[in-house]
Amino acid sequence: MHQLFRLVLGQKDLSRAGDLFSLDDSEIEDSLTEALEQIKIISSSSDYQTNNNDQAVVEICITRITTAIRETESIEKHAKALVGLWDSCLEHNLRPSGKDEDTPHAKIASDIMSCILQNYNRPPVMALAIPIAVKFLHRGNKELCRNMSNYLSLAAITKADLLADHTEVIVKSILQGNAMLLRVLPAVYDKQPQPINRHLTELLALMSQLEQPEQYHLLRLLHVAAKRKQPEVVQKCIPFLIGHLKDSTHNDVILSILIEIAGYEPVALNSFLPMLKEIAERFPYLIGQMARIYGAVGHVDEERARSCLPFLVSQLASMEHSFHHILLLEIKSITDTFSSILGPQSRDIFRMSNSFTAIAKLLMRQLETTKARSDRSKSLALHTALTNDLSSEDGEFVESGDTPASISLSEIDPLGQGHDRSPFKGDTDGSQLVNSSVSHPSIIHIESENLPETVKENYQEETPDTTSRPVEYHDKLYLHLKENLSKVKAYAVEMGKKIPVPDQCTIEDSVRSCVAKLFFTCSLKGHYCLYSKSSFILISQEPQPWIQIMFLFQQSLFPEPLSIQSRSVQFLRALWEKTQAEGAHSFETAMMESTFPQQKDLDQVQLHLEEVRFFDVFGFSEAAGAWQCFMCNNPEKATVVNQDGQPLIEGKLKEKQVRWKFIKRWKTRYFTLAGNQLLFQKGKSKDDPDDSPIELSKVQSVKVVAKKRRDRSLPRAFEIFTDNKSYVFKAKDEKNAEEWLQCINVAVAQAKERESREVTTYL
């Protein structure tokens, strides 16, 4: 042991204890374990609790030791001695006195706890510490228990299996009021479900007493439990979940759990459908998730199918267009499963109108008729009525002497407007494509007066009276797609997991050539969604690969090949022609000669998405089968981040002090990203500039500052551009830079989405 440690601890010399801080960390590092063992002897003496001198010496020495351990990163070397001293504190009184003042051993325990448990990402240290840590939960010291719970929650993120053996102790601590530990339970449930299941009813009873973040962690636990498909858990969960659906704070999370249950136990939800209907009417933005639950119950048997369809059909007629395809797909899936409900007319119903309102009326009429479905004469009469009824512009039915029009699902007007209106809202150059669906985009809009003459003629003449069925076209594109339909669909499904399909595309002229302006929104649009009212906008110098991607995705949505006369193809062709170089292939020739984009084009598209940090804020959800924003993909982070003052990330960054590249002057500051601001801790130096925080809603872009590298490894530096200034930062390493970049992009998207929602609310 170092001579000064030997003097201070051996003689308990308080006057020399402060000199320990004059020594270099590396000079005393080898002495730390021995010093800890000596402290354990001193603190275990019978008079320690009343000896102020000894307590002061021990406190100073522990502070010096923990500082040295942190600075030399030698925690694993000294962990055994630290945990031994920590464990010895449990042999003494830890309850605070009447003045809420910690006992001497509680102070030691608190100092050691932070040193040990800050290393929650080091399994060898946690293996020693956690069995001791959980013992402190029941020793009557609330502050110690609260801090311990914070650290255990962090440990659960990286090493949940170490906590699993102590699940019973953790549950009992929660039931005694330590709600902070609720965030641990989802992490340990898979390894130790039984202790939690035994107390599940008691845990659910805590809901009304919990703060919002704690409520969210309880719901996360139920989601994890629901995935294990345990009937006794489902029986306890469903009434509880239905009862809390009226709380708008968590209803989207609750519906996700109910959808999980509906996937394997739909009958359990059957009796709750009236309550779900009431919730859907109260919160229309939940209709997409409600439709999935109704769809799952409707697949159980024909009786339940008939009871679920009226709700889905009624919503089809009344909901905004973003939900139409979700509803229509659920309806079609049920009626395809139980074909007797609509009979042979189902195909005509889905194909005969360009209005969702009209389809809903036809479906409702058919459902009402089939309640009586064994009389064949009624079936024939209904078929005759269907072939004579066509939808007018406002959804009323008029008689026509001809056979009903054959308009495919891709040609249904999502806005519920007639074919001879002009509902399309484009930009000044008129070339715009819009996907109206949330998770199945398929509707294309374009300003009709700006179309090429051939397109305009087809658009105006393609009325229900004159349009032929796709099978009668026999054009080359149709025949080509017919031969390759299964390949196209399979390719589009796999491609869609790597490259997102834009919700909207406009073609704009630039100095050199045309560019595509692409708009992306989130498919889920959850409570904390980053892109429900706003859009991620991407400007691409290569429009044609994107047009081909959109074409393939369009085809993947429908069972029949697209034709050159299909409206969706007509509009895509109009976009293509706007970008087409002189003498280059026409749209249909290009789609036939190279059905799939070249790999180099796809690589370039993906690289461009990476460069603009698209994948910071969007990711493909395997569960949803769609691209969702960061918050909707990570709802457990959304609640925490949206607490007032809760930082998304914090830490040291170097900020460039001079704008010129050749002058490399950097200043290290401590930054916090929270709310709508990137804040820094101002130093004591007079030279420290008095800058205002960076308002995230004013950030225009965040770009990487780096030379091009063959391995495309992540750079350390990045630049933030606002409307009137730019800032250059450097992180400690590439991994840290990546974390900051993602968090800043998420926070910027969140700030702009908040502004968009406020504007929408105001309007």
Side-chain angles (χ1 to χ4, degrees), residues 34-234:
E34 195 174 349
L36 286 166
E37 291 170 350
Q38 186 63 35
I39 290 172
K40 180 179 177 181
I41 294 171
I42 296 171
S43 65
S44 298
S45 63
S46 58
D47 66 336
Y48 179 75
Q49 296 193 47
T50 57
N51 192 321
N52 292 334
N53 180 81
D54 289 6
Q55 292 174 23
V57 168
V58 165
E59 285 182 31
I60 292 172
C61 288
I62 288 177
T63 301
R64 185 66 191 96
I65 290 169
T66 55
T67 301
I69 288 174
R70 270 194 297 269
E71 294 300 319
T72 59
E73 297 185 349
S74 56
I75 181 66
E76 294 185 12
K77 180 177 178 180
H78 304 291
K80 187 174 181 181
L82 264 176
V83 172
L85 175 57
W86 201 31
D87 190 20
S88 71
C89 294
L90 290 165
E91 300 171 7
H92 304 276
N93 177 36
L94 300 177
R95 292 179 182 273
S97 63
K99 298 179 182 179
D100 289 335
E101 187 175 320
D102 277 336
T103 66
H105 291 94
K107 290 178 182 177
I108 295 175
S110 182
D111 290 341
I112 295 176
M113 172 183 65
S114 60
C115 180
I116 294 175
L117 296 182
Q118 279 178 356
N119 294 277
Y120 60 87
N121 58 344
R122 299 182 187 237
V125 177
M126 290 299 99
L128 289 171
I130 285 177
I132 307 302
V134 294
K135 294 179 181 179
F136 284 93
L137 295 175
H138 300 287
R139 297 307 301 268
N141 189 310
K142 290 184 178 179
E143 185 66 17
L144 200 60
C145 182
R146 186 180 68 82
N147 292 333
M148 192 72 69
S149 301
N150 262 328
Y151 284 118
L152 289 176
S153 300
L154 293 172
I157 296 172
T158 56
K159 209 62 182 170
D161 54 327
L162 293 177
L163 283 165
D165 292 338
H166 308 283
T167 302
E168 185 75 38
V169 175
I170 292 170
V171 171
K172 288 182 178 178
S173 181
I174 293 169
L175 294 175
Q176 289 172 7
N178 187 11
M180 193 175 295
L181 279 175
L182 274 167
R183 67 186 66 187
V184 174
L185 297 187
V188 301
Y189 185 84
D190 281 337
K191 297 175 178 63
Q192 287 285 349
Q194 289 310 317
I196 298 174
N197 289 347
R198 282 197 298 270
H199 298 282
L200 190 57
T201 303
E202 299 163 78
L203 290 169
L204 297 181
L206 298 174
M207 185 71 170
S208 60
Q209 307 165 31
L210 302 176
E211 297 293 329
Q212 184 175 320
E214 296 158 354
Q215 290 179 337
Y216 175 74
H217 291 301
L218 182 56
L219 292 174
R220 275 187 61 220
L221 170 65
L222 295 185
H223 204 167
V224 173
K227 289 180 179 179
R228 288 181 64 93
K229 305 179 181 180
Q230 301 171 84
E232 70 276 13
V233 173
V234 170

Side-chain angles (χ1 to χ4, degrees), residues 404-424:
S406 176
I407 302 174
S408 70
L409 289 176
S410 64
E411 298 163 316
I412 297 173
D413 174 11
L415 302 177
Q417 302 188 33
H419 53 77
D420 56 354
R421 278 193 188 175
S422 180
F424 311 119

Side-chain angles (χ1 to χ4, degrees), residues 422-433 444-452 455-456 459 571 574:
S422 180
F424 311 119
K425 301 294 180 185
D427 60 359
T428 53
D429 69 19
S431 299
Q432 178 177 9
L433 174 141
I444 298 173
H445 293 178
I446 195 166
E447 287 278 6
S448 60
E449 63 267 24
N450 293 319
L451 287 173
V455 179
K456 195 183 300 182
Y459 174 73
F571 299 141

Side-chain angles (χ1 to χ4, degrees), residues 579-629:
T579 68
Q580 188 176 340
E582 189 175 345
H585 285 318
S586 66
F587 174 77
E588 50 265 53
T589 302
M591 295 305 104
M592 289 188 293
E593 289 197 0
S594 180
T595 306
F596 307 119
Q598 294 186 25
Q599 189 58 47
K600 65 179 181 65
D601 290 334
L602 291 180
D603 291 342
Q604 192 61 39
V605 165
Q606 197 156 25
L607 180 60
H608 189 196
L609 289 168
E610 290 175 8
E611 288 174 349
V612 297
R613 311 298 298 182
F614 178 86
F615 300 111
D616 284 350
V617 290
F618 276 99
F620 183 78
S621 168
E622 290 286 350
W627 286 83
Q628 297 179 172
C629 75

